[in-house]
Amino acid sequence: MEITKDIRYIGVDDTDIDLFEGQYPVENGMSYNSYVILDEKIAVLDSVDAGFVDEWLDKLAAVLDGRLPDYLIVQHMEPDHSAGIARFMEAYPEAVIVSSMPAFNMVKNYFGTDYAARRMVIKEGSTLSLGNHELRFIGAPMVHWPEVMMTYDASEKILFTADAFGKFGTVAADEEWLPEARRYYIGIVGKFGVQVQNLLKKAVALDIQMICPLHGPILTENLGYYVDLYQKWSSYTPEQEGVCIAYASVYGHTAEAAELLAQELIDRGCPHVVTVDLTREDVSEAVQNAFCYSKLVLCSVTYNAGLFPAMQQFITQLVERNFQNRTVAFVENGSWAPTAGKAMKTMLENCKNITFAEHGVTIRAALNEDSRGQIAALAEELAE
Ligand code: FEO
């Protein structure tokens, strides 16, 4: 696939994968993107996942059309992008790997050699001339691993962004970019907001007409929209005013409370209200909703004098991703000794800038007049 006159796409779509990184369900598969810049010198940017190395090498050979590549630029060493390194180096014995020193340490760990005689070590600001294409490398540590380098092609005004600006789903997937890009971002680099902010400061200084990530579609239009979302996500700024109600229910009473609260909020004109059943929906879906909205209500039964496992896992994932800058409220249920509210609050107490709602809800087994009143009071507070 031709991206520009000199740049080709040689990535692959993986439609067989069920769990990305062993944990994220990917209903519409995943893409592992790779690019070739054809100039006086030829550079290949990243390889692909292990199951697709043959397909990738075939695509590369077709693009090369008898020429030989000079460089394999390794922007990111995670195996979904690096599994083809050894096969590439065997196939093209004159080629040189271009990457950061931390990446070469990983190359040695993965492949048993760091290609000391066939490597070019780059760091922030290093450049590589291919002829007409002058590449400049931009350090992006922890976006998503410590070795990551991005590549800016000034002649084409393209930023190759490694994992950043990627999404779940194949390139061919017919779906909206935002939901799966948000779930991908929050899940994979949500913890590293500071590092993403550092990257964005460097990126805004560049003239960028196209973003070429290692997953998902190439972004060519309205780039400010994507950068603005990354600004929000990485600064933990709510994307939308609204309420996410996440619940863990066993016999349905806590679910009933969650749905009642949602209705009370809608009745009060709350613009966006979503409910998430933590026992049925994947936790990554719940996490992305929690990060999207400005307010979060956690509703859980008490279980073994603590939290129901689905709620425990959900809050753990929020905390791991530096959940902050939100209003949080609690709905607890317990047939004889409700303690879930306290347990949930304790898990969140080290998160930055969390405003805990004044009103909480305690249900003893089933909703009654008292707990319905508490739900109404909480809705009143959250709808303000
Ligand atoms: Fe797509 Fe961090 O690898």
Side-chain angles (χ1 to χ4, degrees), residues 76 78 80-81 144 163 215:
H76 185 15
E78 193 163 5
D80 51 332
H81 310 293
H144 141 232
D163 273 343
H215 298 290

Side-chain angles (χ1 to χ4, degrees), residues 222-336:
N222 200 13
L223 299 187
Y225 166 78
Y226 304 101
V227 172
D228 184 53
L229 283 168
Y230 262 61
Q231 290 282 13
K232 281 191 177 138
W233 295 340
S234 59
S235 61
Y236 304 95
T237 304
E239 195 181 314
Q240 290 201 41
E241 283 300 315
V243 185
C244 171
I245 303 171
Y247 62 91
S249 187
V250 175
Y251 292 106
H253 303 96
T254 307
E256 188 185 353
E259 295 298 343
L260 176 61
L261 176 62
Q263 192 55 53
E264 296 271 358
L265 287 164
I266 291 164
D267 291 347
R268 285 166 174 78
C270 216
H272 299 285
V273 181
V274 294
T275 56
V276 183
D277 179 352
L278 295 173
T279 66
R280 292 285 182 280
E281 292 190 42
D282 188 74
V283 67
S284 64
E285 193 63 36
V287 168
Q288 70 124 337
N289 273 304
F291 274 86
C292 180
Y293 295 105
S294 54
K295 294 169 185 168
L296 173 66
V297 183
L298 300 168
C299 315
S300 182
V301 293
T302 302
Y303 193 78
N304 287 337
L307 285 177
F308 196 70
M311 180 59 79
Q312 182 110 27
Q313 187 202 15
F314 175 53
I315 300 177
T316 299
Q317 293 222 5
L318 293 179
V319 172
E320 281 176 358
R321 285 160 180 76
N322 287 326
F323 187 72
Q324 56 188 275
N325 300 334
R326 303 293 194 280
T327 296
V328 177
F330 304 104
V331 175
E332 64 176 356
N333 195 347
S335 299
W336 65 94

Side-chain angles (χ1 to χ4, degrees), residues 3-61:
I3 296 169
T4 69
K5 183 174 72 63
D6 296 338
I7 300 182
R8 302 288 185 275
Y9 177 83
I10 57 165
V12 296
D13 270 353
D14 181 354
T15 53
D16 294 329
I17 186 171
D18 55 350
L19 292 178
F20 182 67
E21 289 192 354
Q23 60 172 316
Y24 300 100
V26 280
E27 200 175 311
N28 289 328
M30 201 69 202
S31 76
Y32 315 114
N33 299 346
S34 171
Y35 305 92
V36 184
I37 305 175
L38 299 165
D39 201 334
E40 290 164 28
K41 302 274 190 183
I42 296 178
V44 179
L45 285 90
D46 296 292
S47 70
V48 293
D49 188 77
F52 299 87
V53 173
D54 285 334
E55 182 181 339
W56 172 69
L57 287 171
D58 287 349
K59 286 186 173 184
L60 173 60

